[in-house]
Amino acid sequence: MAWTDKQIAKMKALYAKGLSMSEIGAKLGMSKNQVVGKINRLGLNSPVPLPAKKSANKPVVATKKVPVKAVVKPVAKAAVKVKVPVKKAPTKAEIKAIKAAEAARAEKKKKDKAEAKKTSKRIQERNVNHALALAELSHDQCRWPIGSTSSDDFHFCGKKVFVGKPYCFEHCKMSYAMQAPAPKEKK
């Protein structure tokens, strides 16, 4: 991206005010790295000369010395440049859309909660009904469940139980994989 004279002047002014590179980049709509690179190329961050010491022979200009260990080697530029988006205030239409979306989410949550409460009540009623149906079985009736416990037509077999078992002969075969012969019917 090419820098315009106007952008460079604004960057210099912001830099002179002491803003951070990130803040300058955000105000210019650029990345921090773009700002740092331009400041380096312009030589704005070079060591500041210290006040000169007076000497009888010749004036000496002292510069800030950088320790050898602190010298940072240049890093290869990344292949991808990231542009930091500048946050702007939402428009009235965007605020209205956000509020509408929040209201819709709140309404859906309210409806889901009401539906869950209704479903919970239906399940409790059904469980009571099934428990009563089980309690209504006599000790000699088959207790094999038929249908899904979540359906309204759930019931128990109710046929005569096989001797010593809680199920009728057919359900005992299914449950115990029995090899016993079928009981003879009394006449």
Side-chain angles (χ1 to χ4, degrees):
M1 148 175 188
W3 285 76
T4 64
D5 291 337
K6 188 176 180 181
Q7 288 174 318
I8 293 171
K10 187 173 181 180
M11 180 194 63
K12 286 180 180 179
L14 295 172
Y15 183 73
K17 287 183 180 180
L19 271 71
S20 72
M21 302 298 165
S22 297
E23 292 170 328
I24 295 170
K27 290 191 182 281
L28 295 174
M30 297 180 181
S31 71
K32 177 183 91 169
N33 289 341
Q34 288 174 306
V35 173
V36 170
K38 190 61 172 178
I39 286 176
N40 284 334
R41 287 189 296 280
L42 293 174
L44 296 177
N45 66 344
S46 62
V48 178
L50 299 174
K53 292 183 182 178
K54 293 184 180 179
S55 171
N57 296 337
K58 61 179 180 176
V60 177
V61 178
T63 58
K64 194 175 182 182
K65 292 186 179 182
V66 179
V68 175
K69 290 182 181 178
V71 174
V72 179
K73 294 181 180 178
V75 179
K77 289 186 179 181
V80 178
K81 292 185 180 182
V82 178
K83 185 172 183 179
V84 178
V86 178
K87 291 187 179 181
K88 60 177 182 158
T91 63
K92 288 181 181 180
E94 290 171 333
I95 292 172
K96 192 174 183 179
I98 290 169
K99 286 182 180 180
E102 288 173 353
R105 280 194 296 272
E107 185 65 29
K108 184 178 183 324
K109 188 175 181 181
K110 187 177 176 182
K111 284 180 182 179
D112 290 346
K113 191 174 182 180
E115 184 62 34
K117 191 173 182 180
K118 287 179 188 176
T119 302
S120 175
K121 189 173 181 179
R122 282 194 304 257
I123 289 172
Q124 287 174 350
E125 289 172 358
R126 187 171 47 240
N127 287 343
V128 168
N129 291 339
H130 293 311
L132 290 175
L134 180 62
E136 292 169 355
L137 291 174
S138 65
H139 70 282
D140 63 340
Q141 288 182 301
C142 178
R143 287 169 162 64
W144 187 267
I146 298 174
S148 172
T149 56
S150 61
S151 70
D152 290 333
D153 64 343
F154 173 81
H155 62 281
F156 296 94
C157 173
K159 292 182 184 175
K160 187 99 174 145
V161 295
F162 190 67
V163 180
K165 303 291 180 188
Y167 306 125
C168 65
F169 180 74
E170 291 300 316
H171 290 128
C172 279
K173 284 193 323 187
M174 292 169 59
S175 178
Y176 303 114
M178 294 177 56
Q179 299 293 328
K184 293 183 180 178
E185 298 261 338
K186 292 183 183 178
K187 292 185 182 182

